[in-house]
Amino acid sequence: MINILVVEDDKHVRRLLEAVLKREGYDVVTAEDGVKALEVLDSQHIDLIILDIMMPNMDGYEFAKEVRDADSLVPILMATAKQLPEDKKKGFRIGTDDYMTKPIDTEEMLLRIQALLRRSQIASARKLVVGKVILDYDALTVTREDEKQTLPQKEFYLLYKLLSYPERIFTRIQLMDEIWGMESESTDTTVNVHINRLRKRFDAYPEFELVSVRGLGYKAVRSQ
């Protein structure tokens, strides 16, 4: 059974989401703020979190940061009335996996949950299969038929991240923060250098391509 934690201070929204999710067969736990939600995480396994931003005691940003600082990879879907690009960027930089604005379209929410859970299962398996290509997260290897390459750590993490979310655009800053860390003194041109190295390594692989999106960043395009 999939356990979903709904963190929302508005009791009407909380009850609505709980009812919709239970109807789809999910087990649902609710919390009215980040403090209570952390208590839930300490006491039971959670597969996905739906998170509001504006809450008393501990808001959604603080809560998401606490979760990621604890090295938890549980998927987080932010659902909030905050709609400015700056709010979304802040959420993603802290470690949110996806973002919806209120009022919530419950059908869209369920589709996003399904996608996040699929990606989470890939991450927990720590292996990613793209056609004939296998990425082994623990060994830092990329294997295609009889060819196996062991990549430098940052190159592997960068490739694994992009291929885990095909067609999703990541900014250089997002990739820097996640792979090199927010405290890193490296510049975002470091990402360009690593992308170019990966392109040279896998230029002959038909399964995927690393594409530059002008003015935004990079994405992976999978043909398999």
Side-chain angles (χ1 to χ4, degrees):
M1 185 66 69
I2 300 296
N3 297 316
I4 295 181
L5 170 60
V6 176
V7 190
E8 167 66 61
D9 66 325
D10 185 317
K11 68 178 181 180
H12 299 295
V13 175
R14 195 165 64 240
R15 288 173 180 171
L16 169 65
L17 297 183
E18 182 179 14
V20 170
L21 292 167
K22 284 185 173 180
R23 191 171 64 235
E24 292 298 311
Y26 297 113
D27 274 354
V28 183
V29 185
T30 64
E32 60 265 30
D33 61 42
V35 174
K36 295 287 178 61
L38 288 176
E39 293 174 1
V40 171
L41 291 180
D42 285 338
S43 63
Q44 67 183 97
H45 173 76
I46 296 296
D47 296 288
L48 183 140
I49 299 168
I50 299 174
L51 179 64
D52 187 25
I53 293 179
M54 297 180 288
M55 298 180 294
N57 302 318
M58 177 185 286
D59 68 18
Y61 293 133
E62 294 176 87
F63 172 77
K65 186 176 186 304
E66 288 277 347
V67 171
R68 294 303 182 230
D69 285 349
D71 293 327
S72 172
L73 297 176
V74 60
I76 299 175
L77 169 60
M78 269 192 170
T80 175
K82 284 181 170 284
Q83 300 183 17
L84 294 176
E86 291 75 14
D87 298 318
K88 294 183 180 181
K89 289 175 185 176
K90 183 176 180 180
F92 283 125
R93 292 189 69 177
I94 287 171
T96 299
D97 296 280
D98 204 352
Y99 196 107
M100 289 187 70
T101 54
K102 294 178 178 177
I104 295 172
D105 181 325
T106 56
E107 184 177 353
E108 179 186 352
M109 179 190 72
L110 291 171
L111 291 172
R112 288 177 182 269
I113 287 171
Q114 290 169 12
L116 287 171
L117 289 172
R118 282 196 302 270
R119 294 169 190 166
S120 176
Q121 287 164 1
I122 289 171
S124 63
R126 301 180 79 83
K127 284 191 178 181
L128 183 62
V129 179
V130 184
K132 296 180 180 179
V133 179
I134 301 172
L135 285 78
D136 188 319
Y137 193 92
D138 294 313
L140 302 179
T141 58
V142 179
T143 305
R144 187 177 191 275
E145 296 180 327
D146 295 330
E147 179 183 357
K148 177 183 285 189
Q149 300 186 54
T150 302
L151 273 57
Q153 187 182 61
K154 301 301 186 189
E155 281 187 36
F156 181 89
Y157 290 162
L158 181 58
L159 181 64
Y160 196 94
K161 180 70 176 180
L162 291 170
L163 286 176
S164 294
Y165 298 86
E167 301 293 344
R168 175 171 163 181
I169 299 169
F170 290 92
T171 67
R172 292 174 181 83
I173 292 175
Q174 275 180 291
L175 295 169
M176 280 297 304
D177 287 351
E178 180 158 342
I179 296 171
W180 279 265
M182 295 184 72
E183 305 304 318
S184 172
E185 295 181 1
S186 300
T187 64
D188 59 3
T189 56
T190 302
V191 177
N192 303 4
V193 172
H194 282 69
I195 289 287
N196 287 334
R197 288 176 183 166
L198 288 169
R199 284 171 172 163
K200 288 178 182 177
R201 280 182 184 274
F202 302 109
D203 181 59
Y205 283 27
E207 286 85 358
F208 63 85
E209 180 183 4
L210 303 182
V211 176
S212 301
V213 182
R214 189 171 182 178
L216 293 175
Y218 297 101
K219 67 176 181 178
V221 176
R222 291 168 52 164
S223 59
Q224 299 287 334

